[in-house]
Amino acid sequence: MSGRVCTNCKKGFGPGVPVVKAVEKFFHKECLTCSSCKTNLVGKEFVEAGGSLQCDGCASKSQQKPVSVPCKTCGRMAEGTVVKAFGFTFHPTCMKCQVCSKPVNNDGFYDDDTDKILHLECLMKL
């Protein structure tokens, strides 16, 4: 991922370092955090508000309005808590690994230069 830098820490990505892409921005796995409480957001539900990412809890506290857009996987409206990755919006239960079809939870989602949503274990099989 030469030339790209982490949106949060502004450092580059070394060879073999997993890159998380969320809301059209690139992050190190450890740098994708809530702007308010600093909780890591990889595999968690979050919202984007005013260019900042917030966990569901902080977004609720700050009275951010829920997101209502179509889910990339099922096409139904994704209202309230959503997961945003690779420029798309998903219901939390619709965000699945494109290799094994199991839900991607706290085990991460990665952009491996093919924009696939993968478990790290499945990424290593490619």
Side-chain angles (χ1 to χ4, degrees):
M1 304 226 35
S2 62
R4 291 190 179 146
V5 296
C6 175
T7 299
N8 195 1
C9 75
K10 309 298 185 221
K11 294 180 182 174
F13 301 99
V17 173
V19 177
V20 178
K21 184 177 178 186
V23 295
E24 295 301 308
K25 298 175 185 174
F26 298 92
F27 300 86
H28 293 104
K29 183 178 175 182
E30 62 276 8
C31 292
L32 181 63
T33 58
C34 173
S35 62
S36 298
C37 70
K38 307 302 180 208
T39 296
N40 191 282
L41 299 174
V42 174
K44 295 183 181 168
E45 299 162 359
F46 63 89
V47 296
E48 180 183 25
S52 298
L53 303 180
Q54 289 189 315
C55 66
D56 191 47
C58 288
S60 295
K61 289 177 191 171
S62 66
Q63 304 296 321
Q64 298 297 331
K65 294 192 178 189
V67 176
S68 180
V69 295
C71 172
K72 173 69 173 164
T73 302
C74 71
R76 289 179 288 132
M77 294 306 285
E79 297 177 342
T81 303
V82 299
V83 177
K84 288 188 171 191
F86 304 108
F88 301 108
T89 302
F90 302 86
H91 292 107
T93 55
C94 289
M95 188 154 164
K96 298 180 182 182
C97 176
Q98 292 176 308
V99 172
C100 69
S101 298
K102 293 180 183 173
V104 176
N105 297 313
N106 291 333
D107 44 359
F109 50 95
Y110 299 95
D111 173 10
D112 68 346
D113 291 327
T114 62
D115 284 340
K116 288 186 178 179
I117 300 166
L118 304 168
H119 293 110
L120 180 58
E121 177 182 300
C122 294
L123 174 65
M124 297 305 169
K125 292 178 184 177
L126 296 179

